[in-house]
Every structure is written in structure tokens, then in C-alpha cells.
Amino acid sequence: MIECRGVFKAFGGVVANNDISVDVPEGRITGLIGPNGSGKTTLFKSIVGHHRIVSGSIRFAGRDISKLRVQQTARLGVLRTFQKTRIYGRMNCIDNMLISVRHRKATVADMFRSYPAVVTERAEKLLEFTDLSSQRKLIAGDLSFGQQKLLEFAMALMNEPRVLLLDEPTAGINPTLINGLIDRLKRAASVFGVTLFIIEHNMPVIMNLADNVYCLASGRVLAHGTPQEIQNDERVIKAYLGGHYAVGENR
Ligand SMILES: Nc1ncnc2c1ncn2[C@@H]1O[C@H](COP(=O)(O)OP(=O)(O)OP(=O)(O)O)[C@@H](O)[C@H]1O
Ligand SMILES: [Mg+2]
């Protein structure tokens, strides 16, 4: 569904993405791991059109999207969530959901607009899906951090993404809540038919979630394979997993 070929992106002298080729198959969950600064978030930004890549190509459903901007890729159904959660902290949950429909273009006037029933129904349904129904009238800034992550995920689903790029969805979430989030992500993939591409530092999570995993190091693809292959790959262990995930533990 997403095909990156030879993607190259540099910031001044820093090469953040160097000849990256990645396939994200439709209906599957693909993981992206790698040390801090290895180029994961940059690749997400390259895909959604946050910045123009220097060379290479990015296709979505067979169509070249390399030169499209964020609003254009969003319209096609390619969306991402952010490493730092972005919600409207002073608005309640249901209003966050409503305003997030194409929310990059939302204006204050939107808050006073009446939304079509189909939109409010979808918002309620997604809040239920993420277990936030009873918080629907709560100010989003008062939710726990984990609930804010769930709200952000629900907000992204409002726009009916075909592909959702999630940048560290479980970061900072209490381990006891992580399983609930994993369950939601898996169900989103099956119930809503969303293809997921997920950056994670939490190895047991990505090993549990993903059908296949890419590992970046220094801006390049170091390895690609099933979770099993990746966690046993000597190069990955050396470059990354050693510090994060002792093989044999926590499987
Ligand atoms: N806007 C920018 N301007 C300059 N350098 C940047 C910019 N964005 C990223 N970089 C650099 O590109 C490299 C890759 O950064 P990126 O954010 O993609 O890493 P990451 O793999 O997401 O790391 P982390 O796991 O810490 O989130 C880093 O060296 C970073 O400093
Ligand atoms: Mg990052």
C-alpha cells in the first residue's frame, strides 16, 4: 500500500534517510524500529509530505505521492499521529473528535458549527471503541496521558485513514494500559481495515503487534523481516536491541 524506493532526505549535512526502501502491505501492521536519531520520524514526515524528499520515490496504492503535501496525502487517506501528543487540551473529548475532521484547517467557527449526524455518530462510536465514552464531556487536558494517546488515536480514525502512521503510540503509557492499546490497534486494523505503520521503542509491543518489522540505523534500513527474524538478527541486536530488549526475556 505504501512503497518507498531509495528515499533520501538530508538536513544540511545530516543525512536522516539514506536510500530507504520500505513496503507497507495493505491490511497489515508494519513496525519501524531503530535507535534514537536513526531517521524513523523523518521517514514518516517524508511519506505524508511534511517535507520534500531529495530523491527516491514514495507510492501510495500505486500512485506517486512523493511531491504531495500533508493536506493532499491526508485527503487520500494517509495520516499520521505525532511523537508528542497533539490534542486540544482546553476542549472536551467530543469536541476534539469533531474538530479533528481535517483539523489542520479547522477554525474557531468550526466549534460553533453543527456537524452532520454521521460525523457525531462516528465520534461517539470511536470514543466508545477507545473506552473514552464516559470521559466524552471531560476537558481533554485533564485526561491521563494514556487516555490522551487513545483520544489522539480516535481523532486520527475520525478521518477514515486508509494508512495510519503512528509515531511511538505507547510511549509514556503505563504498562498495565499498554495491552488495552495494543488490542485497540489490532482491532482498528481488522474492524476499520486500516493499514498501520508503527514506530515503537517498546520491543515486546512491536513484536506482539507487527506482521513484519524494519529496523533503521544511521538513516539506512539495517534489517527487515518477521518479528522473530528481527529479534534474532545479530546486526539488530548489536545496533539496537542489546540496550532495549534482552533476547529470551519477556517474550
Ligand atoms: N528538521 C530537522 N532539522 C535538522 N535536523 C533534523 C530535523 N529533523 C530531524 N533531524 C535529524 O535527522 C536525524 C533523524 O531524526 P529523526 O527524528 O527522524 O529520528 P528518530 O529515529 O525518529 O529518533 P527518535 O527515536 O529519537 O524519535 C537526527 O540526526 C535529527 O537530528
Ligand atoms: Mg522519532
Side-chain angles (χ1 to χ4, degrees), residues 54-192:
V54 177
S55 58
S57 71
I58 301 171
R59 300 180 88 80
F60 165 68
R63 171 177 173 174
D64 192 335
I65 59 166
S66 315
K67 295 188 173 64
L68 299 190
R69 296 185 163 277
V70 172
Q71 286 295 338
Q72 296 168 312
T73 57
R75 236 173 274 136
L76 295 176
V78 182
L79 294 170
R80 76 164 172 139
T81 66
F82 299 86
Q83 203 161 347
K84 287 188 191 126
T85 310
R86 289 189 185 181
I87 56 167
Y88 300 93
R90 293 189 184 172
M91 287 167 59
N92 69 30
C93 292
I94 190 80
D95 286 342
N96 264 277
M97 294 294 286
L98 296 174
I99 207 168
S100 67
V101 180
R102 301 275 174 264
H103 75 287
R104 295 293 169 255
K105 276 189 178 163
T107 63
V108 174
D110 288 341
M111 293 172 66
F112 303 100
R113 202 170 84 193
S114 59
Y115 289 86
V118 60
V119 174
T120 52
E121 272 164 31
R122 185 168 175 86
E124 298 286 357
K125 196 173 130 205
L126 287 169
L127 284 176
E128 199 175 311
F129 175 71
T130 44
D131 263 347
L132 291 170
S133 279
S134 51
Q135 280 85 8
R136 57 195 292 290
K137 289 285 184 188
L138 266 190
I139 297 299
D142 289 339
L143 296 176
S144 76
F145 183 71
Q147 288 170 328
Q148 291 184 12
K149 287 284 221 190
L150 278 167
L151 177 62
E152 191 193 29
F153 177 51
M155 285 161 67
L157 292 175
M158 276 305 281
N159 286 307
E160 303 184 55
R162 292 180 65 196
V163 179
L164 189 51
L165 313 181
L166 299 160
D167 200 340
E168 301 191 28
T170 72
I173 298 189
N174 182 311
T176 56
L177 290 181
I178 284 184
N179 287 340
L181 183 61
I182 291 178
D183 172 63
R184 292 310 181 293
L185 295 176
K186 282 186 172 168
R187 277 172 44 204
S190 60
V191 176
F192 302 107

